[in-house]
Amino acid sequence: MTYYVDISTFRSGNGTKEYPFRTISEAAKVAKAGDTVLVAPGVYREWVNPVNAGTPDAPITYKSVEPLAAHITGAEIAANWTKVDGSVWVTRIGNGLFGDFNPFVEKIEGDWFMANIMTAHRGDVYLNEKSMYEVLSLEDCKKGEVYEESWDKPFSVYKWYTEQDTEKNETVIYANFQDKDPTKENVEIAVRPACFYPKEEGIGYITFSGFTVSKAATNWAPPTAYQEGMIGPHWSKGWVIEDCHIYESKCCGISLGKYLQPYNDNKWLHRKYKDGTQTERENVCQAQLEGWSKEKIGSHIVRRCNIHNCGQCGIVGHLGGVFSIIEDNHIHHINNKQNLAGAEIGGIKMHAAIDVIFRRNHIHDCTRGIWLDWQAQGTRVTQNLFYNNVIPYVKPGDKGGWMGIGQDLQVEVSHGPTLIDHNFFLSDYALHLPSQGHAVVHNFIGGSITGIGIGTNNGAVTLPSARYTPYHVPHGTGIVGFMTFLHGDSRYYNNIFVQMEKREPLAGMIEHLKGNDWMDGNLDVGTIPFEKYPTFEEWDAQFEGYCGMGSEASDRYYDKLPVWAGGNVYFNGAKPMSKEKDAIVDKDHKVTWSLTEKDGKFVFETNAFDLVKNLKKPLICTDTLGEAFEPEQKFENPDGSPIVFNEDYFGSHRADTATPGPVENGTASMNI
């Protein structure tokens, strides 16, 4: 059956084409498996709560009749502004508008949220579709000063401040609109905590297609908490979120994340006696006991969405995103306000990305591009374009901090296998890898590799604090064991490394970061961070003659794991590790590259591909890469079939040999 929704209709009908519903929520109460809900253009100010699930063969489809013309928003128009002083205005809102959830009372909180940076409300004020900057006093609102940490300094002077008038039961909002008149502009405030999100778990097999979604008062979404988003499947299976425009979530745009564990939610925040990593381990084990499995959870698809200007993440997930595909999305300008801080920020932040494929995404201008944390196993990051995912400017003398620097891709405390192939990594810091079990194949890498050999302890000063994390049965959620990290177990084949200019004063942070167990600040491009790691032969020799008990004691079980490398090309002073026997170090040519936007397309220009076109290397395949050490799992497809790397960044076919880098027949100028 097909139901129709049209906000412009005079009176809500029965959902037929002739007499459509006025709200999507009305349709969401009656739509069942196999039904379609068609939504006419207009602004829908509601939290749509789907109450029925589809089935694998008969999903429920919610579709905007005109692409992006049906707009679901968590905001309401804010009118009745009165000038206070200069460019500062005030509005008073009766708290009856908010019901039992007032985002201008509720504050952002959660594990790993750095509330010392900003005591932020979940509410927000939007000027012409863009969120203004909250301050904590009316005086600061009146000053309207530039927020130096922002990546968008010119807009950071637009401030707001809120307080409660308890006698009148009103929310009072002051706002510095600078040169704007709020009575003539589009001014809105966040009211609802979600836009399209089931209140109950298990509402699976829903397709959500072609909507614009914006401006919800979502909360911080750490892995140890119920993870909220403007859109999300809420602990179910088989959603498709496609062709949507998603922006201005207070924290997260899409959540593929964790359900509410009532007695284990943000436990580290509220009960400090156990280490945060221990509460995380408890979260994983509790989910396992309560039915987390491939049969019930995950297998979602997020594709062709434009996601931007969210405070924490474009897409977030823990446990609930397993076996999913995230492809062809444009994710950009995430956490650019820099008013929210903590260890859960990125264009995509995914814990337990088991058999998740991230492909053909365009990720830029984020505080970190993709951050894969804990249990990245069977994960593949392929054919993506990353750039400008490192802090754009640093004040002279700024000592910085690892949390706010950013990288294109971070894989943290995961045992692998994690496959990273055919990507363009163009930020200063390309890969941050405090983990093991990687294969990095056929990439163009213009930034450095950081975090090698560090970042897997948890910050104790004098006592051991190793982070033991789970690893799983291949292609499943069953936990095989927990282990800390030996580091290494990495493979680098057929990549192009190009040393970019070391940007000052970013380079000046390196000395300050020496000895830091989280970020080393390395800006040297290439495999050089693995200089002290053994080859397989050196590592294997430790076990020669070993016969169990009675053998001579050694560090063989706790030493660094081996690193493999071959077929890589190094330009502009990029450095290979000395044990890489066939490294091609080109000292005769200067490689240049640039990325520009022309007519909505991104053009990559370089002379590198001309310099490598005659370098033919054997095809890399699953057998070449072996298996990740701890889970003893091969670098293979989610269905267990082997991979042959005979398709490049564009999907073009390779024959029996391959050219280094992501493109087989690269030209001097290409749309990528």
Side-chain angles (χ1 to χ4, degrees), residues 487-503:
H487 302 282
D489 191 24
S490 295
R491 303 129 180 91
Y492 288 79
Y493 289 107
N494 294 0
N495 301 285
I496 295 174
F497 291 96
V498 181
Q499 177 70 56
M500 68 166 62
E501 184 178 349
K502 296 179 181 180
R503 180 161 54 96

Side-chain angles (χ1 to χ4, degrees), residues 399-592:
K399 294 181 178 180
W402 78 275
M403 293 287 285
I405 292 174
Q407 308 89 22
D408 282 334
L409 173 65
Q410 178 174 184
V411 184
E412 184 174 3
V413 287
S414 296
H415 297 285
T418 305
L419 178 55
I420 304 164
D421 69 283
H422 294 93
N423 303 282
F424 284 84
F425 295 109
L426 304 180
S427 297
D428 304 77
Y429 297 125
L431 302 172
H432 187 63
L433 301 176
S435 49
Q436 62 191 46
H438 322 104
V440 182
V441 180
H442 277 292
N443 300 281
F444 186 104
I445 302 176
S448 61
I449 302 170
T450 65
I452 301 304
I454 61 174
T456 58
N457 296 319
N458 211 44
V461 178
T462 61
L463 299 175
S465 59
R467 286 195 282 175
Y468 285 82
T469 60
Y471 54 97
H472 302 264
V473 296
H475 313 298
T477 59
I479 298 173
V480 174
F482 291 79
M483 185 56 187
T484 186
F485 295 87
L486 306 179
H487 302 282
D489 191 24
S490 295
R491 303 129 180 91
Y492 288 79
Y493 289 107
N494 294 0
N495 301 285
I496 295 174
F497 291 96
V498 181
Q499 177 70 56
M500 68 166 62
E501 184 178 349
K502 296 179 181 180
R503 180 161 54 96
E504 290 289 353
L506 188 64
M509 290 184 178
I510 296 176
E511 190 65 31
H512 172 69
L513 289 169
K514 280 186 177 177
N516 186 309
D517 192 45
W518 301 98
M519 178 66 175
D520 53 29
N522 170 52
L523 286 169
D524 288 330
V525 175
T527 56
I528 189 65
F530 294 99
E531 179 66 19
K532 296 182 180 180
Y533 282 72
T535 63
F536 174 78
E537 292 74 18
E538 290 170 333
W539 176 77
D540 183 59
Q542 299 178 88
F543 300 91
E544 291 181 2
Y546 174 67
C547 58
M549 290 295 293
S551 295
E552 183 180 353
S554 76
D555 293 331
R556 62 173 72 89
Y557 291 114
Y558 305 96
D559 205 354
K560 293 182 178 70
L561 295 170
V563 175
W564 294 260
N568 300 301
V569 186
Y570 299 81
F571 292 107
N572 298 3
K575 301 174 183 177
M577 60 180 185
S578 59
K579 295 175 184 178
E580 185 175 345
K581 299 269 192 259
D582 66 344
I584 300 171
V585 180
D586 188 325
K587 298 181 180 180
D588 299 323
H589 301 94
K590 173 73 172 179
V591 162
T592 60

Side-chain angles (χ1 to χ4, degrees), residues 311-384:
Q312 179 191 336
C313 291
I315 302 173
V316 73
H318 180 214
L319 304 174
V322 289
F323 316 112
S324 294
I325 297 172
I326 299 174
E327 62 183 2
D328 298 305
N329 300 288
H330 185 193
I331 302 173
H332 55 105
H333 297 93
I334 301 297
N335 190 238
N336 283 185
K337 291 173 72 174
Q338 295 282 295
N339 60 331
L340 304 182
E344 305 302 328
I345 286 171
I348 300 172
K349 178 68 193 285
M350 185 80 75
H351 285 73
I354 297 173
D355 280 3
V356 177
I357 298 173
F358 303 88
R359 66 186 173 205
R360 300 189 303 269
N361 299 289
H362 180 182
I363 302 176
H364 63 96
D365 291 281
C366 299
T367 306
R368 291 182 187 84
I370 297 178
W371 186 350
L372 304 177
D373 203 349
W374 287 59
Q375 302 154 270
Q377 183 169 331
T379 311
R380 188 174 184 183
V381 180
T382 182
Q383 298 171 305
N384 301 282

Side-chain angles (χ1 to χ4, degrees), residues 62-102:
Y62 294 79
K63 185 176 181 64
S64 175
V65 173
E66 296 181 19
L68 307 181
H71 183 173
I72 307 173
T73 179
E76 294 287 345
I77 294 173
N80 303 316
W81 291 95
T82 303
K83 182 172 284 192
V84 174
D85 181 25
S87 58
V88 176
W89 300 64
V90 65
T91 188
R92 305 177 72 91
I93 302 161
N95 285 338
L97 171 69
F98 303 108
D100 59 0
F101 172 74
N102 186 340

Side-chain angles (χ1 to χ4, degrees), residues 616-644:
K616 298 300 181 181
K617 301 294 179 181
L619 284 178
I620 304 299
C621 62
T622 291
D623 286 345
T624 311
L625 301 176
E627 62 182 27
F629 174 76
E630 206 65 65
E632 300 177 2
Q633 179 180 333
K634 293 182 178 180
F635 293 83
E636 59 192 8
N637 287 310
D639 63 1
S641 62
I643 299 172
V644 177

